[in-house]
Each structure stands twice: as C-alpha cells, then as structure tokens.
Amino acid sequence: MTMNEFLEYLRQGNPVTADTDMHQYMHQLAQAAMLVTNELNNAYHEQEEIVSLFSRIIGKPVDASFRMFPPFYTECGKNIFIGKNVFINCGCHFQDQGGIYIGDDVLIGSYVVLATINHGQAPKERGNNYPAPIHIGNKVWIGSHATILPGVTIGENAVVAAGAVVTKDVPANAIVGGVPAKIIKTIEEGTAE
C-alpha cells in the first residue's frame, strides 16, 4: 500500500488495528512529521520559510497567503488540506490521520485542537484507531483553545467560541460555544460586531 492509498484509507474512516503493519506505518508517518515540526518550532523563521516548512509537513504546496505563528504540532501532517488566506495561531495541534480540510479565509486561534482519531471504547480495542475527517468551511473563525472532534463539519462563516468542544456539525453562519458546543446565535448577513 502506498502512502496516498493509506491516507485515503484513513479518510474513508477505515479502522487501524493496534499492533499491525498499518498501525506501525501510522507511527512512521508521525516520526516523519515530528522531524519537520521540530525544525519549524525550534528556530525563528521568516514567513516564506514557514510556508515552505508547512508545505513539507503536509506534503503539498501551501498558498503564499498562508500565515502561521509556531509552534505547531501534528502526528501525520500528510492528511491536511489548506485553502488560501488561512491563519493558524500558535500552539495548535492537528491530529490529521482522518483528514483535515480547511477552506479559504479561515482563522484558527491559539491552542486549537483538531482531532480526527478516536480509540475503541472496549478495553481490548482501546489501542485501535477509528478515523473520521474534519471539514472547515470558508471564512470560519475558530477561537483559542477550542477542540473539534472527529467527523465534524463546520459550515461557512461559522464562529466557534474560545474553549468550545465541538462534537457535532455546525451550520453555516452559526456561532457556537460551550462544552459540548451549542448554537448561541446566527450571524445575519452584513452585520458587524
């Protein structure tokens, strides 16, 4: 199985059983990601260097409009897909084995966690991994310390309040907050706050 076939296998939500060759391959991808994130996180870099390093982490070009304040953490990296004019603040952790899709004009606050992997609930299956992708629409703003769980889609223009734990899909133009996150209000077209 090639890396791209394996990544597609994960994006489709297929499980990875503990102590198998696939599980070991997941760990190899994590080691490769840690090498480049270590380079990103442990020295000062001009913006062009950050774009280049992040492109290496995800294995594909990132648009020159991409902005990030390191540090940044991931255990795979290769299943991250980034649109244009995306900003990622410091301390974010993208657990992307299941696939993370980020649209255009997205703002991600500091220390946000995007988690695409669950473990088995039964003790004998606890080491097994169950991936599900996260989709973030265009013009979404995710506040600091928010956590987005596996399988969640966040609709265009939505806002996730700081500290929220998002366990289910967020409609377009909604503002959600809390643990678990619930709709607080809807953004009206053309309003500014």
Side-chain angles (χ1 to χ4, degrees):
M1 179 178 287
T2 67
M3 181 181 71
N4 286 334
E5 289 170 338
F6 179 67
L7 295 172
E8 181 60 30
Y9 175 87
L10 293 174
R11 289 192 295 267
Q12 296 301 316
N14 296 304
V16 176
T17 305
D19 302 320
T20 62
D21 288 343
M22 290 182 105
H23 194 247
Q24 183 59 37
Y25 189 57
M26 243 172 53
H27 283 277
Q28 290 171 3
L29 288 174
Q31 294 300 314
M34 285 189 281
L35 279 172
V36 185
T37 56
N38 185 56
E39 186 178 344
L40 172 69
N41 294 338
N42 290 300
Y44 173 77
H45 302 283
E46 296 290 336
Q47 189 55 45
E48 296 77 23
E49 294 173 294
I50 291 172
V51 169
S52 176
L53 286 164
F54 198 78
S55 295
R56 283 176 48 204
I57 290 168
I58 70 171
K60 51 198 145 310
V62 177
D63 191 78
S65 63
F66 175 78
R67 296 291 180 261
M68 169 185 279
F69 293 162
F72 173 80
Y73 306 95
T74 182
E75 295 102 39
C76 180
K78 301 297 190 252
N79 249 349
I80 298 172
F81 302 87
I82 300 275
K84 294 179 180 176
N85 198 33
V86 170
F87 172 71
I88 300 172
N89 213 329
C90 62
C92 290
H93 187 147
F94 289 11
Q95 186 188 46
D96 63 290
Q97 289 89 340
I100 293 174
Y101 300 87
I102 299 173
D104 296 336
D105 304 307
V106 172
L107 301 172
I108 300 177
S110 56
Y111 299 97
V112 166
V113 174
L114 304 180
T116 67
I117 291 279
N118 271 324
H119 290 279
Q121 291 183 359
K124 66 180 181 178
E125 296 177 0
R126 195 69 42 85
N128 297 348
N129 293 281
Y130 298 92
I134 291 172
H135 295 268
I136 299 171
N138 296 334
K139 299 185 180 178
V140 167
W141 173 22
I142 301 174
S144 296
H145 294 271
T147 299
I148 315 299
L149 295 183
V152 167
T153 295
I154 300 176
E156 288 194 0
N157 305 314
V159 176
V160 176
V165 176
V166 184
T167 61
K168 60 184 180 180
D169 291 353
V170 175
N173 302 305
I175 299 175
V176 298
V179 179
K182 296 186 181 344
I183 296 175
I184 297 168
K185 70 181 204 174
T186 301
I187 300 167
E188 298 297 327
E189 190 90 20
T191 61
E193 290 187 36

